[in-house]
Amino acid sequence: MSADAREQFGPVAQRYLTSRAHAQPDEINKVLDRLALVEGTAVDVGTGAGHLAYALAERMDQVLAVDITPQMLEVVAAQAAERGLSNVTTRLAPAEDMGLVDESVSLVATRLAAHHFLDVDSFVADASRSLEHGGLFLVIDTMSPEDDEVARQVDAFERLRDPSHVWNLKPSEWTDKARANGLEPLWHDVRRKSLDFDDWTERMRVSAADTARLRTMAEKATDGFRDYLAPRMVDGRLWFDLLEISFAATKP
């Protein structure tokens, strides 16, 4: 992640704790149930307000929540204490260099953060180095479709709302990066994530001018971009979708 990400997310850390779009414990647990996690140490990379870390703490022996934004880690530490999760610790570090001992952890996971990583290849390499043999790698993140033009439009839409956005990887890109770093893909799922436009823009304190531009982009989307966003009015409010991938791999 970049300094831009720290500047973007530091002042709004508390909003991400209460954000319904980010909490979603049922969706998190559906994915974790599929991994059948029972013990060991998990690392939650780009933990944000810690929603994945809290779910992992109910299943794993130890959870290390990693982020580059101090305010986010303060939220996680306070919430872990409030929830009685004594097995959660925090670390200020970039995703590309987490400072973990070789082959020392059972799971490296990241949720709704990888699209902010400056160097995803270095992140996957560091995750693979840190995983014990038989360990698991999990990504839950917004994704680009395989169509290059639609991917470009999705990217422009996301970056206008949040300048720290780097890129939503395609499913094929996650597969290629995993294999290039010695990880064997297991499965991936894709789901539609419905978002309230006003909540989505207000949470990131988007300017009035950029909010108007984003609304126009969504409402006037055509062809594949419209199919991706599926914009619609619900009770007088604009809603749209982002596609979210859950991607799992293992270190043989």
Side-chain angles (χ1 to χ4, degrees):
M1 286 190 183
S2 65
D4 286 344
R6 280 193 295 268
E7 293 170 3
Q8 286 287 110
F9 288 97
V12 296
Q14 197 67 32
R15 296 186 188 187
Y16 278 77
L17 177 64
T18 57
S19 165
R20 285 180 294 176
H22 285 76
Q24 298 196 341
D26 291 343
E27 292 297 331
I28 294 173
N29 282 308
K30 282 181 185 177
V31 176
L32 298 186
D33 285 345
R34 191 167 182 184
L35 293 179
L37 304 167
V38 293
E39 59 184 4
T41 297
V43 185
D44 177 16
V45 189
T47 189
H51 298 292
L52 178 59
Y54 310 140
L56 288 168
E58 301 287 350
R59 301 163 181 261
M60 306 290 283
D61 297 324
Q62 299 292 327
V63 177
L64 177 63
V66 175
D67 209 284
I68 63 162
T69 306
Q71 295 96 321
M72 287 293 193
L73 294 178
E74 290 169 6
V75 168
V76 174
Q79 272 296 300
E82 184 174 319
R83 299 178 188 214
L85 301 173
S86 60
N87 58 338
V88 176
T89 57
T90 62
R91 176 177 295 180
L92 186 67
E96 298 84 355
D97 184 11
M98 295 175 279
L100 302 170
V101 175
D102 290 359
E103 300 180 8
S104 62
V105 300
S106 307
L107 170 71
V108 174
T110 181
R111 177 175 180 264
L112 303 181
H115 58 277
H116 295 289
F117 297 168
L118 291 176
D119 188 344
V120 174
D121 291 303
S122 292
F123 159 62
V124 180
D126 199 45
S128 181
R129 176 193 63 77
S130 305
L131 280 170
E132 62 192 17
H133 290 282
L136 294 167
F137 175 72
L138 173 66
V139 175
I140 305 172
D141 200 21
T142 46
M143 56 162 269
S144 288
E146 296 292 343
D147 183 284
D148 289 338
E149 174 58 23
V150 179
R152 183 194 64 76
Q153 291 175 286
V154 173
D155 180 64
F157 185 69
E158 289 248 57
R159 188 173 290 114
L160 179 57
R161 181 251 187 178
D162 175 7
S164 72
H165 172 87
V166 177
W167 180 252
N168 288 322
L169 269 71
K170 305 171 183 178
S172 60
E173 291 175 317
W174 279 118
T175 297
D176 291 346
K177 290 180 187 303
R179 287 181 172 150
N181 287 283
L183 301 174
E184 183 59 36
L186 296 173
W187 49 262
H188 79 264
D189 293 328
V190 176
R191 75 178 187 100
R192 284 192 168 272
K193 182 173 184 175
S194 296
L195 296 165
D196 179 315
F197 177 86
D198 290 335
D199 175 70
W200 184 68
T201 51
E202 290 167 5
R203 187 167 63 248
M204 194 49 70
R205 306 185 301 174
V206 181
S207 70
D210 284 345
T211 296
R213 290 176 62 194
L214 286 163
R215 182 178 292 275
T216 298
M217 290 172 72
E219 291 178 338
K220 297 187 178 300
T222 59
D223 302 326
F225 185 40
R226 188 171 189 84
D227 293 339
Y228 180 101
L229 291 182
R232 66 268 185 197
M233 297 300 293
V234 180
D235 296 330
R237 295 174 70 89
L238 176 62
W239 285 72
F240 68 97
D241 294 346
L242 293 177
L243 295 185
E244 183 177 283
I245 187 171
S246 298
F247 173 87
T250 188
K251 182 175 179 177

